[in-house]
Amino acid sequence: MKSTVFSAVAVSIGYILLGWDFTTVLEANPHMEKEFDLEYGHSIEGIIVAVSVFGAVVVTIFSGSLSDWLGRRAVLIYSSLLLFSGGVLTLWSPNIYTLLLARLIVGSGSGLVFTCVPIYISETSSPDMRGSLGTMPQFMFIVGIIFSYCMIFWMTLVSSPNWRVMIGSIFAPSIVYFALLVFYLPESPRWLVSDGKISEARVSLQWLRGKDDVSGEISLIVDGMNIIPGMGIGGNAISNAQGQSFVRTSTGQLSRYNSLYWHLSDPLVDLLGSIHENMSETGGVRNNFFPAFNSFNFVERERMDEYREEDVSAQQNREAYPGDEGNNGDGLQASLLSQAATAEGYGTNAPFTSEGSSSYLRRHGTTGLVQDFVASLHDHDIEEEEEIHEAVLFSHQPAHHDVEGTRRHPSRQQIVRLSETADLKPKWRVLLQPGVRHALCHGMLIQALQESAGINGLLRYSPHILEQVGVVSLFSDIGLGAHSTAILISALNALLMLPCITASMMLMDICGRRGLLLVTTPILMLSLSTISLSSIMNMGSVAQAVLFYVTLNICFSSYVVGLGPIPNILCSEMFPTRARATCASFCALSFWFGRLLSTYCFPVMLSTIGLTGACGVYAFMCSIILLFVYLRVPETKGLPLELIAEIFKFSKQECR
């Protein structure tokens, strides 16, 4: 998986540029006002900051369509060019209008990076590494902040700092980003499949996985396109899910079904929670990226012995249910989904047979969804399944060699013609499908709530807040000016976040997204409440400054572990491939509108209700976030993207 990790690190460099731009603009504003002799300093400051956000909002509207039309990699290449152009234009900028144009271009590039990087990482990562690698952009964002603070600190020691270099030097890392994207990164295999380029998708996936046998994963991706009509999860799966759910639930757990939780919560929270509970019991999740933290690892021999034993049981199951011709489509879907899942679950090159598929599904399944997959396997014998599997993988080749097989299986002709239909681009009506609409509401809400926590405002204005509260006085002995000391402390704060993000990367695929949010959001809420109350309490100036500094670091650390990276991860894995870019752009829009609102509101709140009132408001918003996560955010760790998209199609009545 070295190539997968390399691609995630390389593509996340775009977030270094975002972090760089995040902090430098605010520090450059006073120097801009002086040089251009601008009046109404605070208004101009807000406009200069907001114009880049406006550019991000505008380009995000079209980023989904561009990503589906040109490809993920191509859009990222254009984003690097935009960031380079904006940086060069900033270095020149003879007047305020040129500067605003440069800020607009930089904001446009930032919008493309913010939308497409999480999509690319989710589509190129394996399920057991997707959370860890999905946290990489947050890590790189903080690295960018650290670099920018180091440069700003050096600028504060110079008698006449050059603000153009401060914000325009973003062009230099943009060149590195462009070179990596052009010469080293492959296109997303899922986008290639959606574009009908199956052979290119296979080559891309082979490079990413570092092995030649990627047939199972390609099959899963092809099946996830939902191009073949009539292929889906049957209603029988849901009825079985209801029965199994109640059979396996204790009396104490059943009592909550008559409570308020039953009416307010999303049924997918319980459904996916049940799946992950069984996966944990059977060792279905393996962390290959951080093997030292792999608490679900099995000895290879025991794993292979279990594989063989379950293959024998699967064969008996097939003999007990003689096949019929009526469910060829459903059987094919189950075959494709389960075979790829088997490859990822076992991490071996075992042959993809029906027995192996049912083995995986019985080990990981806790609901009727999985049982329906297993039951559908009896519709095909091994030879027929292998022929169909081969037809899917080589659908770009002529199909005249198997006319008789196509005659016997009508759905097979549609698979062979996949390359002719797969290039259909997603339409806006895809957003109206029940599963997509369901996931889109979750994604937009959690992105908006992330920004409502106010941490980005605290992080952006951290140097000014540290001066205002008096933390700078604790470091007066180092002989620096107040502002230089505040910049240095802010850089140290950002440096302390890196170990926390590293811990988040290690835990993301073990504890899960939902688990980390449920643990870190209360810590964030309590730390914000402490900051608010510390300003009211009658304490000494030194004690108050120490308490504020420690609490602020706890606040930032809990944010970068949970609420910082997880919304982007969730929004990149909840949607089907054909709608992922479009839906992710809507979620990004929700984020950027929240960022635009906080850009204006946070300075106003500081000047009106003060830091005490602002942190109190943000603590209240964190309580709303915690409630939303508990009731509505399901766990998605370790599951293939295609299976997550299928599960989101279930309605509340069907799941319960």
Side-chain angles (χ1 to χ4, degrees):
M1 291 294 180
K2 291 181 180 178
S3 298
T4 304
V5 176
F6 171 78
S7 66
V9 173
V11 80
S12 298
I13 290 176
Y15 270 70
I16 292 182
L17 307 180
L18 267 61
W20 185 290
D21 187 68
F22 181 78
T23 51
T24 52
V25 176
L26 199 63
E27 293 299 323
N29 272 330
H31 306 290
M32 297 179 200
E33 293 167 12
K34 245 184 236 182
E35 179 170 335
F36 294 131
D37 195 21
L38 301 174
E39 298 180 357
Y40 310 108
H42 291 293
S43 300
I44 293 296
E45 175 182 321
I47 291 173
I48 291 174
V49 173
V51 71
S52 60
V53 180
F54 177 75
V57 168
V58 171
V59 80
T60 299
I61 296 174
F62 306 101
S63 62
S65 300
L66 286 173
S67 183
D68 286 324
W69 177 36
L70 301 173
R72 315 326 191 198
R73 176 172 169 268
V75 170
L76 287 171
I77 290 173
Y78 286 126
S79 73
S80 66
L81 292 176
L82 285 173
L83 291 168
F84 172 80
S85 304
V88 171
L89 194 59
T90 302
L91 288 173
W92 176 57
S93 59
N95 52 55
I96 185 64
Y97 304 107
T98 307
L99 175 63
L100 291 177
L101 177 61
R103 297 302 307 155
L104 190 68
I105 295 173
V106 170
S108 301
S110 301
L112 291 178
V113 168
F114 183 84
T115 304
C116 295
V117 167
I119 295 175
Y120 182 89
I121 293 176
S122 71
E123 291 186 345
T124 55
S125 304
S126 60
D128 59 340
M129 298 172 61
R130 193 172 59 239
S132 299
L133 297 180
T135 314
M136 188 64 68
Q138 182 72 36
F139 185 91
M140 293 298 192
F141 182 79
I142 301 300
V143 169
I145 289 178
I146 293 172
F147 284 160
S148 66
Y149 274 138
C150 290
M151 187 188 62
I152 293 169
F153 175 72
W154 175 72
M155 289 281 187
T156 58
L157 302 179
V158 180
S159 57
S160 55
N162 190 331
W163 63 266
R164 288 182 175 83
V165 174
M166 196 180 295
I167 61 177
S169 54
I170 194 176
F171 85 94
S174 299
I175 298 174
V176 178
Y177 191 43
F178 174 81
L180 287 172
L181 290 170
V182 171
F183 297 110
Y184 292 100
L185 260 65
E187 181 55 87
S188 163
R190 282 178 167 83
W191 180 83
L192 290 171
V193 169
S194 71
D195 203 42
K197 301 172 181 176
I198 308 296
S199 59
E200 294 180 30
R202 172 186 287 273
V203 173
S204 173
L205 201 58
Q206 286 172 340
W207 185 87
L208 289 166
R209 299 294 179 260
K211 61 181 182 179
D212 294 331
D213 186 7
V214 293
S215 302
E217 194 167 355
I218 285 287
S219 299
L220 178 63
I221 295 172
V222 169
D223 184 73
M225 294 300 110
N226 290 326
I227 295 172
I228 305 170
M231 304 275 288
I233 309 304
N236 181 52
I238 303 300
S239 61
N240 290 339
Q242 295 174 355
Q244 291 190 13
S245 174
F246 282 97
V247 167
R248 302 188 179 192
T249 305
S250 65
T251 305
Q253 289 173 319
L254 283 174
S255 62
R256 71 176 182 175
Y257 291 142
N258 295 323
S259 65
L260 186 63
Y261 173 87
W262 171 262
H263 299 286
L264 295 180
S265 67
D266 192 318
L268 294 184
V269 173
D270 292 328
L271 179 62
L272 283 168
S274 178
I275 291 175
H276 285 97
E277 183 179 353
N278 248 34
M279 290 173 69
S280 299
E281 292 173 358
T282 57
V285 178
R286 303 174 63 210
N287 194 332
N288 294 326
F289 189 46
F290 296 103
F293 291 84
N294 186 9
S295 61
F296 302 102
N297 195 17
F298 280 94
V299 179
E300 187 71 18
R301 182 177 300 176
E302 293 176 352
R303 194 158 47 80
M304 294 306 298
D305 289 342
E306 182 184 0
Y307 179 81
R308 296 190 190 96
E309 290 173 4
E310 290 178 343
D311 282 351
V312 174
S313 301
Q315 179 64 30
Q316 295 173 355
N317 183 50
R318 288 166 52 82
E319 293 172 358
Y321 296 96
D324 57 74
E325 296 288 326
N327 292 325
N328 286 329
D330 292 337
L332 174 62
Q333 167 128 350
S335 148
L336 293 173
L337 281 172
S338 58
Q339 286 173 5
T342 305
E344 292 158 359
Y346 286 108
T348 65
N349 291 331
F352 292 95
T353 61
S354 296
E355 291 83 2
S357 302
S358 59
S359 164
Y360 173 85
L361 292 172
R362 285 202 321 282
R363 290 173 65 243
H364 293 246
T366 62
T367 66
L369 162 69
V370 181
Q371 297 299 325
D372 189 57
F373 284 166
V374 177
S376 65
L377 291 175
H378 73 270
D379 293 332
H380 302 277
D381 56 42
I382 299 178
E383 294 180 359
E384 288 175 343
E385 183 180 0
E386 289 176 348
E387 290 173 359
I388 295 175
H389 181 66
E390 183 179 358
V392 173
L393 297 179
F394 300 96
S395 57
H396 59 285
Q397 298 177 356
H400 61 272
H401 61 281
D402 200 6
V403 177
E404 182 62 29
T406 303
R407 207 175 275 133
R408 286 188 293 117
H409 301 284
S411 65
R412 196 164 167 188
Q413 183 178 4
Q414 294 169 312
I415 303 172
V416 174
R417 296 172 60 86
L418 175 63
S419 61
E420 300 178 14
T421 58
D423 58 349
L424 295 176
K425 301 302 177 185
K427 308 297 181 183
W428 291 104
R429 64 173 179 271
V430 174
L431 302 179
L432 302 179
Q433 295 178 358
V436 177
R437 187 172 64 245
H438 185 185
L440 184 59
C441 291
H442 281 71
M444 294 184 69
L445 274 173
I446 198 167
Q447 286 283 20
L449 289 172
Q450 177 200 36
E451 196 62 30
S452 70
I455 305 303
N456 284 324
L458 286 171
L459 193 59
R460 184 190 290 270
Y461 287 88
S462 179
H464 302 281
I465 294 172
L466 291 172
E467 288 186 61
Q468 177 185 342
V469 175
V471 176
V472 173
S473 62
L474 300 175
F475 301 87
S476 57
D477 294 338
I478 61 177
L480 295 174
H483 189 60
S484 298
T485 304
I487 296 295
L488 183 60
I489 296 172
S490 299
L492 292 175
N493 290 347
L495 192 62
L496 290 174
M497 297 181 208
L498 294 183
C500 298
I501 304 175
T502 304
S504 177
M505 294 172 68
M506 294 177 176
L507 297 173
M508 192 65 69
D509 290 309
I510 298 176
C511 299
R513 296 82 160 119
R514 174 180 165 85
L516 286 178
L517 283 174
L518 290 175
V519 170
T520 57
T521 305
I523 298 174
L524 182 60
M525 180 176 63
L526 290 175
S527 59
L528 286 169
S529 301
T530 304
I531 292 174
S532 180
L533 294 175
S534 65
S535 302
I536 301 175
M537 296 172 61
N538 188 12
M539 303 171 61
S541 58
V542 175
Q544 183 176 353
V546 170
L547 178 62
F548 175 84
Y549 181 69
V550 172
T551 310
L552 186 66
N553 276 290
I554 295 174
C555 179
F556 288 156
S557 299
S558 60
Y559 176 80
V560 297
V561 172
L563 198 58
I566 291 178
N568 276 349
I569 296 175
L570 290 174
C571 292
S572 65
E573 61 187 9
M574 294 190 299
F575 309 108
T577 301
R578 292 194 305 120
R580 185 171 295 119
T582 303
C583 293
S585 66
F586 273 86
C587 296
L589 268 179
S590 179
F591 170 85
W592 286 115
F593 276 122
R595 171 67 63 85
L596 194 62
L597 189 62
S598 67
T599 298
Y600 277 107
C601 289
F602 189 74
V604 173
M605 291 171 69
L606 286 179
S607 60
T608 54
I609 61 178
L611 185 63
T612 301
C615 289
V617 171
Y618 292 144
F620 174 74
M621 293 305 302
C622 285
S623 65
I624 296 177
I625 295 171
L626 180 62
L627 186 64
F628 175 77
V629 170
Y630 179 70
L631 295 175
R632 311 297 296 179
V633 177
E635 183 56 74
T636 57
K637 68 171 183 178
L639 296 177
L641 295 176
E642 289 72 20
L643 185 56
I644 296 172
E646 284 291 329
I647 292 175
F648 264 94
K649 292 180 181 178
F650 297 163
S651 67
K652 187 170 185 177
Q653 291 74 21
E654 288 175 325
C655 286
R656 289 176 170 171

